[in-house]
Amino acid sequence: MKRVKIHVICRKNAMDKYGRNVQSLLNARIHPDEIPQTLCMSGCTVWTFQTLINLNHYYGDEIECSFGTECLPGRINLLHYDDFSPRVKPWRGLTVVCRADRPYFFGADYVVEQIKSAEKNGGIFISHWPQPGLKPRDKARCSITTIGYFGRMDSFPPELASDAFKEKLAAHGLSLKVELNDWTDYQNVDIVLCFRKYHDHRLSRKPASKLINTWLAGCVLICDDEPAIKAIKNSPLDYLVAHSQDDIIETAMMLKNNPVLYQDMVEHGKQRVREYARETVAKNWMVLLEHIWEEGLNRRSTTMRALAFFLWKLTKPFMK
């Protein structure tokens, strides 16, 4: 079989900022746990550069990697929704667009979805990459005292970041660790929160990453049952649900007072995360890319790609 040629599209500012570093990482064929945090904070770099680095590590002998600012013929062009624009000339070659948490769209040859329910619109579900370099909970921890939030403050409900909530936690022997920059260190965390301050159409497009990373870290998740998280639930041991500050405290105290349940959930999570481990995600990507390569890159003409793309551009303002 011929080597699959994968070309990642990025903006010029991203190329200038990350290009040289990414090329050196590809040359070294680094382990994905060594991916720098600068490539883990933005959806665009996660879905493109991280995918390229992961595939290069696991399947480097079967693929040919490149990246640039425009689509190329003769290659599978991989790009994020935000870069699916006239600037990259997507009609020039076959495109695989990662929709991430953006609105529904059309015009690409293939669309990769981060939530399984989106497959009904013709997309292809591939789970988000787990957090590179994640440091799991310290096995020596024998009590439940710390609740962690890993993410951006603009998504975190302000009432959960308030001093009043922290004081309530402290009264029950609990503390809150809010980590906005380093999303890898779970060593001193026992419970992870997944709550967002908005509950509109955007929520339905968020991935189950916080649950998957929690399983990987050996912790337990308390969340408000986001759609993507609920969609992959197959056991009461997957996670716990709360809808208010008092619910969170009550649920955390249940775990604190029931270490057997806590450990059962941790062990269950270790089994579940195998479905979403990095090696599994890389295999799913490779299966898709090999299928595309075998099917051929010219199933649609340049004209048809251009017509589909500009039709989508006309309708884009009306999509949520």
Side-chain angles (χ1 to χ4, degrees):
M1 181 184 295
K2 294 182 179 179
R3 284 166 49 126
V4 178
K5 297 180 180 180
I6 307 166
H7 184 66
V8 157
I9 310 300
C10 57
R11 300 176 186 181
K12 186 178 185 305
N13 60 350
M15 177 73 78
D16 294 340
K17 187 174 182 179
Y18 303 119
R20 184 174 298 179
N21 188 29
V22 169
Q23 188 60 61
S24 66
L25 299 177
L26 291 172
N27 292 343
R29 202 168 171 176
I30 65 160
H31 189 280
D33 270 333
E34 300 174 30
I35 294 175
Q37 284 297 296
T38 53
L39 297 179
C40 303
M41 309 297 280
S42 161
C44 289
T45 56
V46 169
W47 277 110
T48 53
F49 286 138
Q50 269 205 57
T51 298
L52 200 61
I53 292 168
N54 275 277
L55 291 176
N56 185 62
H57 173 75
Y58 291 108
Y59 299 99
D61 296 332
E62 302 170 41
I63 64 174
E64 182 179 313
C65 301
S66 63
F67 54 91
T69 57
E70 295 183 1
C71 288
L72 298 178
R75 292 177 178 266
I76 299 173
N77 296 280
L78 176 65
L79 60 158
H80 188 276
Y81 172 100
D82 291 356
D83 291 323
F84 192 56
S85 70
R87 173 185 52 79
V88 305
K89 301 178 177 62
W91 51 85
R92 292 179 57 189
L94 183 142
T95 53
V96 177
V97 177
C98 302
R99 183 162 78 104
D101 57 0
R102 302 303 193 255
Y104 172 74
F105 78 107
F106 59 91
D109 292 278
Y110 297 86
V111 179
V112 169
E113 303 280 5
Q114 65 184 9
I115 54 174
K116 191 166 182 60
S117 60
E119 286 184 311
K120 63 186 179 183
N121 293 322
I124 301 162
F125 170 65
I126 298 182
S127 180
H128 210 311
W129 294 105
Q131 176 66 44
L134 187 146
K135 305 177 186 70
R137 180 177 183 256
D138 188 345
K139 294 180 180 178
R141 290 182 69 82
C142 56
S143 59
I144 297 169
T145 61
T146 305
I147 299 175
Y149 170 77
F150 298 83
R152 295 183 173 87
M153 186 55 74
D154 60 3
S155 298
F156 196 44
E159 62 271 19
L160 299 185
S162 67
D163 290 338
F165 180 57
K166 293 175 183 177
E167 289 171 4
K168 287 183 179 180
L169 289 173
H172 291 82
L174 299 168
S175 63
L176 177 66
K177 174 186 177 183
V178 176
E179 186 52 70
L180 306 178
N181 299 310
D182 182 0
W183 297 349
T184 67
D185 191 0
Y186 290 71
Q187 294 176 96
N188 297 309
V189 172
D190 308 300
I191 297 169
V192 178
L193 293 182
C194 178
F195 290 83
R196 304 183 197 273
K197 66 182 180 182
Y198 53 83
H199 288 80
D200 56 17
H201 58 273
R202 292 173 293 175
L203 186 63
S204 65
R205 301 197 294 256
K206 291 297 181 181
S209 296
K210 283 185 169 58
L211 175 58
I212 293 166
N213 288 332
T214 298
W215 285 339
L216 190 62
C219 299
V220 173
L221 185 79
I222 298 177
C223 71
D224 59 355
D225 232 8
E226 290 187 6
I229 291 176
K230 189 174 182 179
I232 67 171
K233 182 178 182 178
N234 69 10
S235 166
L237 296 176
D238 283 336
Y239 60 89
L240 296 172
V241 177
H243 298 294
S244 67
Q245 293 183 34
D246 291 340
D247 282 352
I248 292 171
I249 294 172
E250 181 180 345
T251 305
M253 289 305 296
M254 178 185 68
L255 291 169
K256 186 179 179 72
N257 295 326
N258 192 342
V260 173
L261 173 61
Y262 181 88
Q263 194 57 39
D264 285 348
M265 295 188 72
V266 168
E267 293 303 320
H268 175 78
K270 290 178 181 178
Q271 300 303 313
R272 285 299 316 275
V273 81
R274 293 176 182 175
E275 304 170 48
Y276 306 97
R278 189 176 293 109
E279 294 87 346
T280 305
V281 178
K283 182 179 179 180
N284 292 339
W285 267 108
M286 199 60 198
V287 168
L288 170 63
L289 296 173
E290 286 180 338
H291 168 75
I292 293 172
W293 194 253
E294 291 171 7
E295 286 285 303
L297 305 183
N298 300 309
R299 303 188 74 189
R300 291 201 302 171
S301 68
T302 300
T303 301
M304 289 301 297
R305 286 195 176 103
L307 286 172
F309 172 78
F310 284 106
L311 178 60
W312 169 67
K313 289 294 287 184
L314 289 173
T315 61
K316 182 180 178 182
F318 305 101
M319 295 183 179
K320 292 185 178 181

